[in-house]
Amino acid sequence: QVQLVESGGGLVQAGGSLRLSCAASGTYLSIDEMGWYRQAHGKERDLVATVTGRGVTNYADSVKGRFVISRDNARNTTYLQMNALKPEDSGVYYCHADIRRTRLPRFDDYWGQGTQVTVSS
């Protein structure tokens, strides 16, 4: 069974920083893209940032220049460094990964349990 375990959420004042981590565990062959998504209360889950296995990154416009996504392939872990946080960054942050479990040429979606980030004004 594959699991994504997140950590690093919490409460921070506007302008502060937080670092989220997400580690993949279990039995699988490879991981393609990893990323972070955010769901504010009563809203849909939106993309925050993604990183491919080769390190190509993609960011939502709202976080460009403030957030940095990175990845440690040896540890099967992705990180999200969040700087200059704003109240509108608040929400539950979910880790996502495309994981290949078998020899079939197919990657399946996996999600973490979510970690709450609250930015106070």
Side-chain angles (χ1 to χ4, degrees):
Q1 182 150 356
V2 177
Q3 283 188 318
L4 298 177
V5 180
E6 301 135 334
S7 61
L11 173 64
V12 65
Q13 288 188 333
S17 298
L18 282 174
R19 189 190 193 212
L20 305 183
S21 300
C22 171
S25 64
T27 303
Y28 52 87
L29 293 180
S30 63
I31 302 176
D32 190 9
E33 185 177 275
M34 300 185 81
W36 294 91
Y37 291 72
R38 175 173 67 206
Q39 188 166 21
H41 183 65
K43 296 188 177 181
E44 294 184 352
R45 190 176 299 185
D46 293 325
L47 170 79
V48 175
T50 60
V51 58
T52 69
R54 296 185 177 184
V56 177
T57 59
N58 179 50
Y59 295 93
D61 288 341
S62 62
V63 306
K64 285 181 180 177
R66 299 188 297 123
F67 291 12
V68 178
I69 188 170
S70 60
R71 178 170 173 168
D72 184 339
N73 289 328
R75 298 175 183 267
N76 300 313
T77 299
T78 184
Y79 306 95
L80 185 67
Q81 178 66 43
M82 304 186 292
N83 302 318
L85 282 160
K86 304 175 181 180
E88 52 263 43
D89 293 320
S90 298
V92 179
Y93 283 69
Y94 293 92
C95 177
H96 171 266
D98 293 321
I99 297 178
R100 183 182 180 186
R101 294 186 59 204
T102 71
R103 293 183 179 181
L104 293 173
R106 188 186 83 186
F107 287 82
D108 295 321
D109 291 321
Y110 287 86
W111 293 92
Q113 79 282 0
T115 185
Q116 177 70 45
V117 171
T118 302
V119 184
S120 63
S121 57

